[in-house]
Every structure is written in C-alpha cells, then in structure tokens.
Amino acid sequence: MEKAAILVISMIATTFFVAAADTSAAAAATTVPPSYKTLYDLFISSPEFNVALGLFKYSGLLPLIKDPNTMITCFFPTGNATRMEDYLIMEEDQKGRYVWAILAAHCLLGQQAMTMKELSAPYGYGLLQYESAFVPYNDIFILDEYNDEDGFRMFCGGGNSEDGKVVKADIKGGKSIIHLIDTGIQYPFYLPPYYYEIMDFLQTFTPFALDVFSASSYVPFLTDPKRTTNITVFAPSNDAFAALLKQLRITKTQLLNNKALVDLIVAAHVINGTAVYTGAMISYKSPIKLQTMAGPLNAIGDLSIFPNRSGPAKLVILSNPFVRAALSDYEVGGTDVPYSPKYVGHFVDKVLIPVSIKDLSKIK
C-alpha cells in the first residue's frame, strides 16, 4: 500500500512539473520584447547595437541617449556589419564633424519615433523618401515599395551608401525607435575639406570676415608658410558682422579703416598654439576654457539641439562676458601638407567681441 501511494504521488508530482514546464514554455513563447527605459539601456543590451553605441559614445552624446525623453528614429548597421575602428579612429577628424555627420546621416530629420509600418507606403505607391538629420545637406533614406520574404522593407541610404535591407525593425529604447540594417556605415555626401588655406577658407565661406582679417596686422602671421604653431580660426558670418556694424553705428569702410579695432576683433577669433577641433570643445559639465589672442573664451555643448532637430547633431556654444555665439560644425578648413602646422576654421553666428560694445566703440 505504501509503495502504491508513493507511485501515485510520484505520478502526480511528475504530471504537475511537466504541466508547469509546459505552462512556462507557453508563457515564454508569448513574452513581449523587453522594455528599455532609454536608448543607452537598449544599446548595452546586445552586441547588435555596438555600432550605434560606438557612434554616440565617440561623439560625446552618452548623456543624450541616457535621457528617457530623447525621441529619434535611426537606421543603424548591426554590430557585425562593419569595423567601427575604420571610421572612428581618424587622426584628422579628432571627434570632429565627419563622425557627427555619420551619426546624423543615420537618423531621420525631426523629433519623431516612426515604426516601419508608419514609414512604409501601401503596396503600389512607389518609393518613399525621408530626409536625414544631417543638416544642411540632408542625405535621403529611401524605403522600397515591396516587402521581401521576411516581411521587412528594403532600405537605401543617401550619400555614398549602398542599398541595404532592414533586418530587424521597431526596436524601442525609451521614446526612440531603432531599425537595424545589414550594411555598413552610411557615408554622408561629403568629406571634411582639409585643403583650404586660411584666407581661401574665409573667401569661400565668409567674404565679410575675409575683408576684416585682410585689413588686420595679423595677415603675415596667419599666412606665413614658415609658421611653426597650429592655430584655430573662428569665422563670423556676414550677418554677424552686419549686426556688429549696426551696434557700433559705423559703416564697413569705417571699420576696415580702424586698424586698432580690426586687430582687436581678429585677435578675438584666433587661438594660437593649437588646432582645436569641434569635438575637443564639447562638454556637458563645466565649460572648456579656450584662450584667444585677445582673451579667454568658454565652450560648452548644448544637448537640446539633437532631439529638437533644429540644427546639426550638436551645437557648441562659445561665450565670454560680452557675447554668446553658436559654433557651426559644417565646415572645417585646414592644410593638406603632411606634418606641417595645421589650422582649423569654424563658423560662428556672432562676432566674438572681447570687450563691451561701449568700450569697443571707443577704440580709435
């Protein structure tokens, strides 16, 4: 009797555990994908996101992807699609605009999170195109009109990219959505132009700045082929100089004829001794101290620019007690002569006056 009871109990226990196992298996089969509070939590969850994490980390945007309110849509190659080292370890780039351009070229323009269903047109309606966040050049994402056998839309990047396929769609991290593609990094339409001489750089992009720099006593120093130091040049836009003239209540001719005033202004836009690339000016904590030839300048990154999509992937704010300017990351000038002293040119939207307008107007 005892043996029979033990056998019955054993059979009941076996049935219970098998049923429990079946229940667990069924539950596992219907488990919803894990939920990630932020993009960062998503990216560290699997090697598939190595490329995405590498781009954000290299570019100094970890605070952005750790923000649960960040909302973006990005197409990224899987972790095995390409070797990040080939694109991120670039001596000339120095965490500068090309890597930022790569990052922005993989994200859609606009603060939005779009699934593949939302991105795709109904069958027969042709190709759909979307602008990337790479302002102002705007590479294009193209979604093909037909589905492949796996049910995912085909993908074509802009710039110098090759056609690819979305291999995993609608991966959510915080408020953002990531689509993994099977190709390597999408290249933007351009490479950093490291072939401008200083005055050519100014002439090509900021003619007003060229006139001001050309009227200064610093021309021999800036253009000296025997110069042994690296330098950084900030080039204000034409509108920035026009606004300064209005504040000073003088004409352009009066400005150019005032050698002392011109020299002070030019000195405030030159850092002697180092070629400071944009990435070296990014800080989300205390400002980075820069020393121009006319006085100190602070630089700090502005995180709000990326999720708001009102500009390039990042913004650097330059400031002193008298002006606050935004540095554009669109153009970088430099030299193509190996091992010679380099310079880097940046655009700014304000003239970096080193003293107050009142004191500036007194200079004769």
Side-chain angles (χ1 to χ4, degrees):
M1 185 69 177
E2 291 181 0
K3 290 183 178 180
I6 293 174
L7 179 60
V8 171
I9 293 173
S10 177
M11 292 175 61
I12 293 175
T14 301
T15 302
F16 173 80
F17 286 117
V18 169
D22 289 342
T23 302
S24 299
T30 59
T31 299
V32 296
S35 175
Y36 299 99
K37 183 179 179 181
T38 67
L39 275 175
Y40 180 77
D41 295 329
L42 170 64
F43 289 163
I44 63 174
S45 68
S46 170
E48 287 183 308
F49 305 102
N50 283 351
V51 173
L53 181 59
L55 283 172
F56 280 95
K57 185 176 181 180
Y58 181 91
S59 302
L61 279 177
L62 285 183
L64 176 70
I65 62 175
K66 290 182 178 180
D67 184 348
N69 294 315
T70 293
M71 183 184 294
I72 51 179
T73 305
C74 297
F75 293 88
F76 282 118
T78 64
N80 297 323
T82 185
R83 293 179 63 245
M84 289 297 294
E85 293 84 356
D86 292 341
Y87 305 96
L88 298 186
I89 302 178
M90 295 184 288
E91 180 182 355
E92 294 84 359
D93 186 72
Q94 297 292 316
K95 297 189 180 181
R97 72 187 187 112
Y98 190 52
V99 171
W100 285 90
I102 289 175
L103 176 59
H106 281 80
C107 299
L108 294 189
L109 180 67
Q111 186 177 355
Q112 55 189 326
M114 299 184 69
T115 64
M116 286 301 295
K117 182 178 181 180
E118 293 169 329
L119 288 167
S120 304
Y123 178 79
Y125 281 85
L127 305 179
L128 285 184
Q129 297 185 358
Y130 296 91
E131 290 184 325
S132 79
F134 181 36
V135 180
Y137 299 97
N138 288 110
D139 288 352
I140 299 296
F141 295 91
I142 301 176
L143 298 177
D144 212 334
E145 64 180 351
Y146 62 88
N147 294 332
D148 70 359
E149 61 184 9
D150 297 322
F152 292 121
R153 295 278 175 158
M154 302 300 288
F155 163 87
C156 175
N160 299 316
S161 308
E162 298 180 356
D163 292 356
K165 181 178 69 175
V166 175
V167 294
K168 186 176 292 187
D170 304 342
I171 310 169
K172 296 182 179 180
K175 296 181 179 179
S176 300
I177 292 180
I178 303 298
H179 307 291
L180 289 180
I181 55 178
D182 63 356
T183 57
I185 284 183
Q186 175 175 324
Y187 307 105
F189 275 109
Y190 75 97
L191 290 171
Y194 289 101
Y195 48 80
Y196 295 108
E197 295 300 331
I198 294 177
M199 305 311 279
D200 290 339
F201 168 71
L202 297 173
Q203 182 178 20
T204 302
F205 300 107
T206 54
F208 202 143
L210 173 68
D211 292 338
V212 175
F213 274 69
S214 298
S216 76
S217 303
Y218 291 97
V219 173
F221 163 72
L222 295 173
T223 59
D224 184 2
K226 297 182 180 180
R227 176 174 50 84
T228 59
T229 60
N230 295 339
I231 59 175
T232 303
V233 174
F234 298 108
S237 65
N238 295 336
D239 290 343
F241 271 113
L244 178 65
L245 293 182
K246 187 175 182 180
Q247 286 181 292
L248 293 175
R249 298 181 181 180
I250 60 175
T251 65
K252 180 178 180 180
T253 300
Q254 289 175 314
L255 169 63
L256 297 180
N257 288 336
N258 189 334
K259 180 72 74 172
L261 179 58
V262 166
D263 280 353
L264 181 62
I265 290 175
V266 170
H269 292 79
V270 178
I271 296 176
N272 183 23
T274 181
V276 184
Y277 289 81
T278 315
M281 290 186 260
I282 292 291
S283 172
Y284 302 117
K285 296 179 181 179
S286 59
I288 293 173
K289 303 294 183 180
L290 305 173
Q291 186 66 34
T292 73
M293 297 180 73
L297 193 64
N298 296 325
I300 190 167
D302 185 348
L303 273 177
S304 67
I305 198 70
F306 195 93
N308 289 343
R309 285 292 184 274
S310 57
K314 70 163 182 310
L315 190 71
V316 175
I317 301 299
L318 302 175
S319 66
N320 58 33
F322 311 103
V323 68
R324 185 175 187 271
L327 182 147
S328 165
D329 197 36
Y330 298 155
E331 302 293 346
V332 177
T335 176
D336 59 357
V337 181
Y339 310 115
S340 65
K342 295 182 179 181
Y343 83 90
V344 175
H346 302 287
F347 297 153
V348 287
D349 69 349
K350 299 272 193 332
V351 177
L352 303 172
I353 57 174
V355 296
S356 68
I357 287 291
K358 181 178 180 180
D359 289 337
L360 205 62
S361 64
K362 295 178 181 178
I363 298 175
K364 303 296 182 183

